[in-house]
Amino acid sequence: MDILNFFREDLSEILGVYFDEEKIYLVRLTDKIETAEFNFEIDLNSKSSQIEQLAEKIKLIGNQRGWKISKVGVVLRDGAAVTFQTEFKNIPSDEIANAVKIWATAHAQNNARYTSMQTDDEIWMEALPASIVEEYISAFEKNSMTLCALTEFPPVENERPITPFNRAVFAADIVKNKKPPNILNTKISTWNIKKISLTAAAIFLIALTGFSAKLADDYFSASKRAETALTRLNSQNDIFVLKQNLDAVTARLNQFEGLIFTQDINSQKFNALVKFGKIFDGRIILQKIKTTGETLELEGAAESPDAIKLYLSRLKTSVSSKVKLTSSKEIDGQFIFTININFP
């Protein structure tokens, strides 16, 4: 066996995944493409989260088929992440990355994980809260799989229908070719770090036994200094991240201050405001918040009926099940709506 190949990561088997709440669509890349489709229903009574149940099912399918699954890419359902597409021809190329970061921080909570993809004169961006990204990574790790790609399917300008398997192939291709858009923003190494680490450790132990106590003492002293320097560097980075988080929180509080300043907000309604603030996105513009008794009334404008429908669904999931769209009408190309949230 070639010594270099021995230390390389195994990318001979990659799995692309798409899940639409009813079925799991899998595309397995080896020396050929193999597809599989399975019915799957989330068990609401399970102690495992929906994402963990999805990873468990994928692992079970792989075991049943004898697949050696290691690298996985997942395409999210449309609307699962916050997305935005705009022209960037007037933005200097060296400012695009920072513009994407500012957009993501403003639309997907603090510590947003985000990615972007450039096509011609447009840029497509997507973002997810870091907590959701970590939940996906953890769920696959628990089932001995490495999540290498997480993304939504970007808009495409062609007349061919987008099938579930197209989406799964897209996820597998991101892993295989190490390309965007990938919310994980991690480079997929071609080297097996575990093998390299274990081999290096073995060589070090063998060499260490042949050196004097003085050399060993020098080594550990240098290691300690390096560890101290790394701790100091990490602390500085933590301070920088903390400042970014505080700036984002301040901006969001200012955004809602004008809407809720004159309202009688009790603790229950305040918690609701915090929750729907976290799902606020650029397709919805809130114009007025009013409290009446046990009802919280939201008035706003949206770019389309689908944007209102998606926002209503997110409110029901994250804020209260007693959410109702009471009015919606189109005025000058905008869709004006009113939503009531009732509390027991």
Side-chain angles (χ1 to χ4, degrees), residues 259-266 288-292 296:
L259 294 176
I260 67 174
F261 183 76
T262 61
Q263 299 299 313
D264 179 20
I265 304 296
N266 59 31
K288 185 178 181 182
I289 297 174
K290 184 172 73 174
T291 59
T292 305
L296 186 65

Side-chain angles (χ1 to χ4, degrees), residues 141-161:
E141 282 183 349
K142 287 181 180 178
N143 289 277
S144 303
M145 296 178 286
T146 301
L147 184 64
C148 298
L150 186 65
T151 186
E152 270 198 24
F153 197 82
V156 291
E157 296 182 0
N158 59 47
E159 298 180 354
R160 296 180 60 187

Side-chain angles (χ1 to χ4, degrees), residues 59 79 83-84 101 142 147 191 238 267 270 282 295 313 339:
K59 184 63 175 180
T83 61
F84 183 63
K101 181 178 179 179
K142 287 181 180 178
L147 184 64
W191 300 100
D238 290 343
S267 61
F270 179 79
T295 300
S313 175
I339 293 175

Side-chain angles (χ1 to χ4, degrees), residues 74-316:
V74 175
V75 165
L76 301 166
R77 297 185 300 277
D78 292 343
V82 181
T83 61
F84 183 63
Q85 185 171 5
T86 186
E87 292 186 353
F88 73 95
K89 57 185 178 181
N90 296 324
I91 304 176
S93 58
D94 59 347
E95 295 181 10
I96 291 177
N98 189 51
V100 173
K101 181 178 179 179
I102 292 173
W103 169 84
T105 302
H107 291 81
Q109 303 180 11
N110 305 325
N111 293 324
R113 300 285 293 273
Y114 56 90
T115 186
S116 63
M117 182 178 71
Q118 297 179 18
T119 56
D120 298 326
D121 289 333
E122 292 187 326
I123 185 168
W124 182 78
M125 301 171 279
E126 60 175 323
L128 272 178
S131 58
I132 296 178
V133 176
E134 294 303 325
E135 186 177 355
Y136 270 97
I137 294 173
S138 176
F140 280 88
E141 282 183 349
K142 287 181 180 178
N143 289 277
S144 303
M145 296 178 286
T146 301
L147 184 64
C148 298
L150 186 65
T151 186
E152 270 198 24
F153 197 82
V156 291
E157 296 182 0
N158 59 47
E159 298 180 354
R160 296 180 60 187
I162 304 302
T163 69
F165 284 118
N166 289 150
R167 298 172 185 264
V169 169
F170 183 75
D173 190 49
I174 290 176
V175 178
K176 180 180 179 181
N177 296 302
K178 312 174 188 64
K179 65 179 185 179
N182 186 356
I183 289 177
L184 299 185
N185 282 327
T186 54
K187 293 183 179 180
I188 303 169
S189 174
T190 59
W191 300 100
N192 190 313
I193 303 301
K194 185 176 180 179
K195 282 185 179 180
I196 294 174
S197 298
L198 291 175
T199 302
I203 293 173
F204 171 76
L205 289 174
I206 293 171
L208 186 62
T209 59
F211 289 129
S212 66
K214 178 65 170 62
L215 289 177
D217 183 65
D218 289 345
Y219 167 80
F220 287 113
S221 296
S223 177
K224 187 64 176 179
R225 290 195 298 271
E227 182 180 344
T228 301
L230 181 60
T231 300
R232 188 180 299 113
L233 181 62
N234 288 337
S235 297
Q236 293 173 350
N237 183 63
D238 290 343
I239 293 173
F240 176 72
V241 172
L242 178 61
K243 183 181 181 301
Q244 285 186 313
N245 294 342
L246 290 175
D247 289 345
V249 170
T250 300
R252 186 166 296 281
L253 289 175
N254 290 336
Q255 181 181 17
F256 282 94
E257 182 180 8
L259 294 176
I260 67 174
F261 183 76
T262 61
Q263 299 299 313
D264 179 20
I265 304 296
N266 59 31
S267 61
Q268 188 177 31
K269 292 172 184 174
F270 179 79
N271 290 335
L273 288 172
V274 172
K275 288 180 180 179
F276 78 67
K278 291 181 178 179
I279 59 173
F280 193 72
D281 65 52
R283 292 168 288 186
I284 294 292
I285 301 175
L286 290 181
Q287 299 170 328
K288 185 178 181 182
I289 297 174
K290 184 172 73 174
T291 59
T292 305
E294 300 302 322
T295 300
L296 186 65
E297 184 178 272
L298 314 179
E299 295 182 8
E303 62 183 27
S304 67
D306 287 341
I308 300 176
K309 182 179 179 182
L310 177 60
Y311 189 60
L312 191 69
S313 175
R314 289 180 173 177
L315 287 174
K316 289 181 178 179

